Amino acid sequence: SGYLGQHFLYSLLQNVKDDDIYALFSSNNDFQSSVTSHPVFNHENKKRVNLIFAKVDLTNELDIDTFFREHSDPPFYICFHIAALSSPKDCHENETKARLVNVPIYFFEKLRHVPIVGLSTDQVYCGAKAPYDDSSIPSPVNIYGQTKLEMEHAILHDDLRTKPAIC
């Protein structure tokens, strides 16, 4: 429901046809109205896409279970995981919350049979040897970078995952 999530959703609305898009959010109560009032969410796009908003706290197993129970377990065929507590300051001040939000293990477990694209950050690297590629060795510069690296590991190294994942 942050800046990146909203703009990613706007791009999907312009490019996806005849499909459902689930927009999950947890903290921005104005998310739905800000998306539906944006010019990209016009009459034509409303006819092409079924946009479903769901408030889900990814740190709460009951919330996650309720979402999947109400929306046929799982309701989608790919997940773009963009959610994060992305403020390095907030992550530093509340490492436990940062880890719960940025590495929602239970949510990932529920999606083992769905391909996941997980959005990480360049903060998993120290910043001294850019540009980075798949062979670069991570060295997080802060708690935010550390939790995003943990998110990558949780998604990419889940031995029970049956569908592909990338970060």
Side-chain angles (χ1 to χ4, degrees):
S1 61
Y3 179 83
L4 179 64
Q6 288 182 35
H7 287 273
F8 183 76
L9 185 54
Y10 298 151
S11 178
L12 287 176
L13 287 170
Q14 291 174 318
N15 295 291
V16 172
K17 292 183 171 76
D18 302 321
D19 220 334
D20 293 339
I21 297 176
Y22 286 82
L24 279 58
F25 64 99
S26 65
S27 60
N28 184 349
N29 291 325
D30 297 326
F31 177 60
Q32 184 171 350
S33 63
S34 63
V35 169
T36 56
S37 65
H38 191 278
V40 76
F41 195 66
N42 57 34
H43 182 69
E44 167 126 357
N45 287 338
K46 286 180 192 176
K47 290 190 318 189
R48 292 184 307 116
V49 175
N50 183 25
L51 184 55
I52 302 146
F53 292 93
K55 187 168 184 173
V56 181
D57 178 355
L58 296 182
T59 70
N60 182 310
E61 291 182 11
L62 181 60
D63 249 25
I64 294 167
D65 286 339
T66 300
F67 169 76
F68 283 110
R69 187 175 50 257
E70 291 176 356
H71 297 279
S72 66
D73 193 9
F76 31 78
Y77 56 88
I78 188 166
C79 174
F80 295 95
H81 179 68
I82 301 173
L85 179 62
S86 58
S87 163
K89 179 182 181 283
D90 291 346
C91 291
H92 179 75
E93 291 174 355
N94 194 339
E95 188 173 339
T96 300
K97 181 178 179 183
R99 190 156 279 106
L100 288 170
V101 171
N102 294 344
V103 195
I105 298 294
Y106 188 73
F107 181 68
F108 294 155
E109 288 172 353
K110 299 290 273 186
L111 294 172
R112 284 183 168 139
H113 306 295
V114 176
I116 295 181
V117 177
L119 186 69
S120 190
T121 178
D122 60 350
Q123 293 179 49
V124 300
Y125 300 107
C126 67
K129 298 178 184 174
Y132 299 102
D133 62 30
D134 290 342
S135 65
S136 299
I137 298 172
S139 179
V141 295
N142 52 34
I143 300 299
Y144 173 62
Q146 179 62 42
T147 60
K148 293 306 271 188
L149 183 60
E150 291 170 16
M151 180 272 304
E152 291 181 22
H153 185 79
I155 291 173
L156 298 174
H157 302 288
D158 181 350
D159 293 335
L160 299 177
R161 171 160 288 290
T162 62
K163 295 292 183 179
I166 61 170
C167 294

